[in-house]
Amino acid sequence: MKRMLFLVVSHVLVGVVGFSIGIYTLPILTAPPAPPEEAMERHSQQAVFMGEFRRDLEGSDFLHWGEGSVSVGRQSIAFVGKLAPGPDYKLYLSPEFVETEEDFERLKEQMVRVGDVKTFENFIVYVPEPIDPANYDTVIVWCESFAQFITAARYR
């Protein structure tokens, strides 16, 4: 009986660990290539605002972080740097600086979702027509699937 219980518990534990590793590595394996350097430069030059994603934000940790510069323009948001890999990242604009999950949830009604972040090293997200980044002051990367804060940068 002990042996059977041990086998069940060990198999469940291995399954949970394997599933967790799969959730973490699948986005890395399926991520498209980063945008070409020329495209990054072009979008960065068209920027009206600049900001920095930093690893040391209150809501960031060793699995959820971003580091690099973000250029916010009327038509696109370009990021040069690295993000911790993960699933279902979304880019939001906020009227206030946010650095925790609690702040994000509190202000989510006032934010606007710009689009999907599909790469973990450099990205360009196009700003849909009705959105004006000048009406906001912070850009946020948020993991929608797990309601997890990744990083934020104040750009004005």
Side-chain angles (χ1 to χ4, degrees), residues 114-131:
V114 179
D116 297 336
V117 174
K118 297 182 179 187
T119 61
F120 308 112
E121 184 172 341
N122 304 344
F123 65 72
I124 297 170
V125 175
Y126 292 94
V127 178
E129 187 58 43
I131 298 172

Side-chain angles (χ1 to χ4, degrees), residues 52-129:
E52 288 289 324
F53 287 145
R54 299 184 345 255
R55 280 184 184 238
D56 63 349
L57 298 178
E58 184 181 337
S60 296
D61 58 34
F62 76 101
L63 289 176
H64 309 98
W65 54 268
E67 188 172 56
S69 62
V70 62
S71 307
V72 180
R74 178 66 189 94
Q75 297 176 337
S76 65
I77 298 172
F79 169 67
V80 176
K82 292 187 178 188
L83 296 173
D88 201 22
Y89 284 1
K90 306 296 181 196
L91 194 71
Y92 283 84
L93 295 178
S94 172
E96 291 180 37
F97 183 69
V98 168
E99 68 175 314
T100 65
E101 292 167 20
E102 294 77 22
D103 288 344
F104 183 90
E105 295 293 349
R106 179 177 54 83
L107 292 168
K108 191 171 183 179
E109 298 275 326
Q110 300 168 36
M111 294 181 192
V112 63
R113 188 165 92 185
V114 179
D116 297 336
V117 174
K118 297 182 179 187
T119 61
F120 308 112
E121 184 172 341
N122 304 344
F123 65 72
I124 297 170
V125 175
Y126 292 94
V127 178
E129 187 58 43

Side-chain angles (χ1 to χ4, degrees), residues 138-154:
T138 300
V139 62
I140 301 161
V141 177
W142 175 258
C143 176
E144 203 72 41
S145 294
F146 294 104
Q148 180 67 49
F149 175 82
I150 305 303
T151 192
R154 178 173 282 136

